């Protein structure tokens, strides 16, 4: 419709009252127009503010994104992040992590923390790159290959190198390295989780599990207990949606660990019935010092594990002779140099292009 101002010019015979009505209508239209403009401005401003906030979350994550690793296969694609998370500002302590999103629907899959044991074993070198991560080191260390048995088929995988001093995790206070104990490690790992969730808030409400192997038989349940206790503080904004924990070949108690080692070797045909009968007869695993007969029987098991991977007894045997082993290493180094040389030439070609 034509504005009220144009109506006034085209119809001069209006009465004074009619003129007042038209002027009021014009004023009302101007007011509505100003309100509309203001509403649009506020909407744009709110949208920009939301984007800034979203970028605040995303920028921290994107800074840690690993786009591609040397030797990584082009397919399938792997969504991964790595970096340090501060656990103690005063002493300058930070833990290193490597995170793999689930292969499908990561927003609907649980989050699984993995801790290797030792104490002192790297969760990156062992758990991520050798055991359950999606990228493992290929034969002759020539590159990486996709692990078709990777656990991130079913979960988002978070590998953390713990405690400080392991792998890329560090402290700027040397005395920290002499104060390490299980409580210290649990506290640092808990602080890591709280700060990691601030960087990746989209995972904070997803189901969370703690897992690990070997000395993580201490790390995992102690961290689980700490998370459980801290979750009782309803006022703190640190609640973790903790659902359970998993331990594999865990170091928990000398008696059960030694007894379990013998039983597992026998039940999986690593040693004979005769050897196992001798162990049952000669070994008291509750004793601090084993008898000579017990040591002799147990050494039979340890001898078998010189040829069999104690952590993966069905893996191909590794019993190459010294000369054969040296030959394999030489071939690996030679092949690795060849690959690096080809990559270097390709990079030069791309630069010249």
């Amino acid at each position: 419709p034509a504005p009220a101002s144009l109506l006034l010019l085209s119809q001069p015979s209006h009465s004074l009252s009619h003129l007042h009505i038209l002027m009021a209508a014009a004023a009302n239209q101007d007011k509505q127009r100003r309100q509309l403009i203001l509403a649009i401005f506020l909407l744009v401003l709110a949208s920009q503010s939301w984007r800034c906030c979203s970028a605040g979350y995303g920028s921290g994550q994107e800074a840690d994104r690993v786009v591609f690793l040397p030797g990584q296969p082009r397919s399938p694609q792997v969504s991964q992040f790595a970096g340090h998370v501060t656990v103690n500002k005063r002493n300058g302590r930070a833990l290193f992590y490597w995170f793999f999103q689930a292969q499908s629907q990561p927003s609907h899959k649980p989050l699984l923390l993995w801790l290797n044991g030792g104490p002192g074993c790297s969760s990156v070198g062992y758990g991520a790159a050798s055991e359950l991560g999606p990228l493992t080191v290929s034969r002759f260390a020539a590159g990486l290959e996709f692990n078709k048995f990777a656990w991130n088929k079913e979960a988002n995988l978070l590998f953390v190198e713990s405690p400080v001093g392991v792998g890329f995790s560090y402290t700027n206070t040397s005395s920290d390295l002499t104060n390490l104990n299980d409580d210290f490690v649990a506290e640092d790992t808990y602080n890591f989780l709280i700060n990691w969730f601030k960087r990746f808030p989209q995972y904070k409400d997803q189901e969370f599990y703690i897992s690990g192997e070997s000395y993580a038989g201490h790390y995992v349940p102690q961290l689980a207990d700490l998370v459980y206790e801290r979750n009782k503080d309803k006022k703190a904004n640190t609640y973790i949606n903790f659902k359970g924990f998993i331990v594999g070949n865990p170091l928990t108690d000398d008696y059960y660990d030694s007894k379990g080692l013998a039983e597992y070797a026998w039940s999986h045909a690593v040693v004979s019935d005769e050897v196992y009968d001798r162990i049952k007869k000669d070994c008291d695993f509750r004793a601090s010092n084993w008898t000579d007969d017990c040591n002799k029987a147990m050494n039979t098991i340890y001898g078998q594990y010189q040829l069999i991977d104690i952590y993966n007894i069905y893996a191909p045997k590794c019993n190459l002779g010294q000369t054969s082993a040296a030959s394999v290493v030489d071939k690996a180094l030679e092949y690795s140099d060849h690959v690096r040389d080809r990559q270097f030439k390709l990079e030069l070609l791309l630069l010249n292009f």
Side-chain angles (χ1 to χ4, degrees):
S5 56
L6 294 180
L7 291 174
L8 285 173
L9 293 174
S10 60
Q11 300 179 22
S13 61
H14 282 299
S15 63
L16 185 60
S17 60
H18 198 180
L19 178 63
H20 287 165
I21 293 173
L22 291 175
M23 291 180 65
N28 187 51
Q29 282 189 342
D30 288 341
K31 182 179 179 181
Q32 289 178 341
R33 189 178 293 110
R34 287 196 300 271
Q35 289 176 339
L36 179 60
I37 293 173
L38 179 60
I40 293 173
F41 174 75
L42 292 175
L43 183 62
V44 172
L45 184 63
S47 174
Q48 293 298 324
S49 300
W50 179 84
R51 287 184 183 180
C52 291
C53 292
S54 298
Y57 286 135
S59 61
Q61 294 179 25
E62 288 305 313
D64 287 356
R65 180 180 289 278
V66 179
V67 178
F68 197 76
L69 290 171
Q72 179 180 331
R74 294 290 177 181
S75 179
Q77 292 185 347
V78 177
S79 180
Q80 54 184 317
F81 301 79
H84 288 92
V85 172
T86 300
V87 296
N88 186 295
K89 289 184 178 180
R90 179 177 179 181
N91 287 16
R93 289 202 303 273
L95 298 183
F96 182 81
Y97 79 91
W98 196 4
F99 173 59
F100 297 93
Q101 287 185 317
Q103 294 178 27
S104 64
Q105 297 183 310
S107 61
H108 295 89
K109 298 289 177 68
L111 174 65
L112 180 80
L113 170 68
W114 176 268
L115 300 169
N116 272 90
C121 291
S122 167
S123 297
V124 168
Y126 286 94
S130 303
E131 296 172 333
L132 58 138
L135 297 173
T136 56
V137 179
S138 62
R139 192 177 182 185
F140 298 141
L144 298 173
E145 58 188 13
F146 186 74
N147 177 13
K148 63 181 180 180
F149 302 110
W151 286 18
N152 75 327
K153 284 185 174 182
E154 302 298 334
N156 299 284
L157 294 183
L158 177 59
F159 298 91
V160 177
E161 295 196 300
S162 176
V164 291
V166 174
F168 296 110
S169 295
Y170 68 88
T171 177
N172 293 328
T173 305
S174 299
S175 60
D176 284 341
L177 301 176
T178 61
N179 294 328
L180 293 175
N181 57 46
D182 290 348
D183 291 335
F184 184 107
V185 173
E187 189 68 38
D188 267 8
T189 311
Y190 177 81
N191 290 334
F192 167 88
L193 290 173
I194 297 303
N195 292 328
W196 188 87
F197 280 124
K198 292 177 181 177
R199 192 174 301 179
F200 292 84
Q202 68 267 40
Y203 294 98
K204 194 174 187 300
D205 295 326
Q206 289 176 224
E207 292 186 352
F208 175 68
Y209 295 85
I210 306 171
S211 62
E213 66 180 359
S214 191
Y215 196 79
H218 283 247
Y219 292 156
V220 169
Q222 290 177 3
L223 176 60
D225 180 67
L226 186 59
V227 171
Y228 174 77
E229 291 297 327
R230 297 286 171 84
N231 274 350
K232 292 180 179 179
D233 186 358
K234 304 298 183 182
K235 296 180 180 179
N237 187 29
T238 55
Y239 182 82
I240 296 175
N241 190 17
F242 178 52
K243 293 297 182 180
F245 66 86
I246 311 167
V247 288
N249 59 285
L251 177 66
T252 53
D253 176 89
D254 287 344
Y255 168 74
Y256 290 105
D257 290 341
S258 301
K259 185 173 182 290
L261 178 69
E263 289 178 349
Y264 184 87
W266 167 71
S267 65
H268 289 75
V270 175
V271 294
S272 64
D273 292 348
E274 180 185 2
V275 171
Y276 184 56
D277 288 340
R278 284 187 5 232
I279 291 173
K280 289 191 293 182
K281 175 177 176 290
D282 298 329
C283 292
D284 177 9
F285 293 123
R286 297 189 187 279
S288 300
N289 297 310
W290 295 349
T291 64
D292 291 341
D293 288 339
C294 179
N295 277 316
K296 185 177 180 179
M298 289 297 290
N299 283 337
T300 304
I301 294 179
Y302 298 134
Q304 290 292 87
Y305 284 135
Q306 295 298 314
L307 306 177
I308 302 171
D309 185 350
I310 191 173
Y311 300 113
N312 186 6
I313 66 171
Y314 298 118
K317 61 183 180 180
C318 185
N319 59 349
L320 297 174
Q322 183 61 37
T323 54
S324 298
S327 176
V328 169
V329 171
D330 290 340
K331 287 182 179 179
L333 292 174
E334 180 182 347
Y335 184 74
S336 180
D337 289 340
H338 173 66
V339 171
R340 280 198 299 270
D341 184 57
R342 286 183 60 190
Q343 289 176 336
F344 179 68
K345 289 178 180 178
L346 179 60
E347 288 172 1
L348 286 178
L349 180 63
L350 290 173
L351 285 173
N352 291 330
F353 180 78

